Amino acid sequence: MSNRDIAFLLQHQRTEHGILLFLRRQSALPARDCQPDRPAALSAERRHGMTQEHIGFIGAGLMGHGMAKNIVEKGYPLTVTAHRNRAPVDDLIGRGATEATIEDLAARSTIIFLTLPGSPQVAEAVARMTPHLKPGAVIVDCSTSDPTVTERLATDLGQRGVHFADAPLSRTPKEAWAGTLDCMVGADPDIFARIQPVIATWAGKIVHIGRVGDGHRMKLLNNFLSLGYAAIYAEALALAAKVGISTATFDSVIRGGRMDCGFYQTFMGYALEGNREAHRFTLSNAYKDLRYLESMANAATVATTMASAAKNSFAAAMAQGGSGPEDYVPHLVDFVGRANGVKPD
């Protein structure tokens, strides 16, 4: 190295670009090859990492449509199956997804997400996929399912070299579309690390709860709280109407106070404002979730005084005809009101 080279290096030693210029002087590389290009390289690495998993998605319904939309729009190859409502599937195909039978989806996917009504539908889908799954594939159940079924499926699939994780959701279809759902995951640590980047395409909050089945256990506890609120709100509003306090007056006290919360506001979106789609979670799914909670409590020998009371509110609504696909949780206020001889105003 000449004195001239040493002087040049000292002059530019504080800058990365200066050092690269010096190396170019030494090796006669073209100047364009010496420009720092780390962001481009990092972007390429991210793109490569994102496309190494091929995602399958079964259940493009109220929640699944938005989740799948975020997966494909954020760079993952996506295969979907037909749904009873063609509109979500056609929309996803327009965004770059591929449609296939459930068997073909299983054969081509490395990670498969399920958003189905409950454990019976999950077990049926897994049974159809099992002969076609690749060793090392991961099935991620985002449904609200029975943890005992989740554990059994995980054991059976594990014998075939296929992994299983539970990743149920919280919030509404609005957040699914925005990619800001909450997600609670039950999975082995290495599987969690593998599926977490994909979940992050549609979830803003991701919590690794623990082993397989723990995500579903936590989801049932979460829904016990929310559906317990719904039963309390419906009964309180019926009682308020019976003693002459209007829904608007009731709300003027609760809203903005310590008893206010996001769930209260979506519930009152129907009870006060009349928006039938304020919270699109069906009464039948609520009843199913509370039955799963009771089963979990029975296995743990825990008395469920409050959970069973909440479940009975939804059971009564179902018995009165509230089992349709557009009978949503906030509509419970009508069923409880009618049972008590009054409809809250």
Side-chain angles (χ1 to χ4, degrees):
M1 183 183 296
S2 67
N3 291 337
R4 193 180 206 178
D5 291 332
I6 293 171
F8 180 90
L9 182 58
L10 289 173
Q11 180 182 358
H12 296 281
Q13 65 181 332
R14 295 186 179 181
T15 68
E16 178 184 18
H17 186 53
I19 294 172
L20 289 170
L21 286 173
F22 170 76
L23 293 173
R24 179 173 64 84
R25 285 163 57 93
Q26 294 296 101
S27 60
L29 290 172
R32 62 181 175 85
D33 290 336
C34 296
Q35 300 298 322
D37 196 24
R38 290 184 177 179
L42 182 58
S43 177
E45 289 171 3
R46 286 175 175 166
R47 286 195 301 271
H48 175 73
M50 183 171 286
T51 57
Q52 67 183 358
E53 301 282 9
H54 193 126
I55 311 303
F57 202 99
I58 301 173
L62 288 176
M63 299 294 280
H65 184 193
M67 295 162 62
K69 185 267 296 187
N70 280 292
I71 291 172
V72 70
E73 285 193 341
K74 293 175 183 175
Y76 286 97
L78 179 69
T79 302
V80 297
T81 57
H83 190 264
R84 64 179 179 272
N85 179 3
R86 281 296 311 176
V89 175
D90 291 340
D91 175 71
L92 293 169
I93 292 171
R95 296 173 189 273
T98 301
E99 184 178 2
T101 65
I102 191 171
E103 292 81 6
D104 287 343
L105 179 149
R108 70 176 62 174
S109 302
T110 58
I111 298 176
I112 301 167
F113 289 91
L114 310 177
T115 55
L116 298 169
S119 290
Q121 294 80 12
V122 170
E124 180 184 358
V126 170
R128 289 181 61 186
M129 288 190 291
T130 296
H132 310 278
L133 292 166
K134 301 174 182 177
V138 185
I139 295 178
V140 185
D141 182 14
C142 298
S143 320
T144 302
S145 297
D146 183 339
T148 59
V149 176
T150 300
E151 290 180 328
R152 175 175 59 78
L153 291 174
T155 299
D156 292 346
L157 289 168
Q159 294 172 357
R160 293 175 169 265
V162 175
H163 308 286
F164 195 90
D166 46 312
L169 325 165
S170 182
R171 296 189 182 270
T172 70
K174 177 183 176 182
E175 286 81 25
W177 195 259
T180 56
L181 290 169
D182 295 344
C183 181
M184 50 216 87
V185 183
D188 293 338
D190 56 334
I191 299 303
F192 175 74
R194 183 174 163 191
I195 65 178
Q196 190 273 342
V198 191
I199 294 174
T201 64
W202 46 259
K205 179 180 180 180
I206 305 169
V207 181
H208 186 196
I209 304 299
R211 68 190 189 281
V212 172
D214 284 348
H216 282 144
R217 293 183 181 92
M218 185 65 231
K219 172 60 173 174
L220 294 178
L221 294 169
N222 180 86
N223 281 18
F224 168 38
L225 295 180
S226 63
L227 299 174
Y229 285 158
I232 291 171
Y233 298 155
E235 191 168 310
L237 287 168
L239 179 57
K242 198 82 170 183
V243 300
I245 296 174
S246 70
T247 300
T249 299
F250 179 96
D251 182 69
S252 70
V253 174
I254 303 301
R255 192 175 296 267
R258 290 186 65 192
M259 302 309 297
D260 194 3
C261 66
F263 188 89
Y264 171 82
Q265 291 173 17
T266 57
F267 191 92
M268 296 304 286
Y270 172 68
L272 178 65
E273 300 163 14
N275 178 6
R276 289 190 61 83
E277 296 191 344
H279 187 173
R280 294 190 296 168
F281 186 74
T282 64
L283 292 168
S284 57
N285 274 333
Y287 177 55
K288 177 263 298 181
D289 291 355
L290 289 171
R291 287 189 292 111
Y292 285 171
L293 178 79
E294 274 192 332
S295 177
M296 182 172 76
N298 290 340
T301 319
V302 173
T304 56
T305 305
M306 302 302 295
S308 295
K311 182 212 69 178
N312 289 338
S313 291
F314 288 96
M318 296 276 289
Q320 293 178 58
S323 58
E326 295 183 351
D327 291 316
Y328 300 127
V329 164
H331 306 171
L332 182 65
V333 68
D334 293 340
F335 293 98
V336 174
R338 283 197 293 270
N340 286 283
V342 63
K343 182 180 184 301
D345 58 9

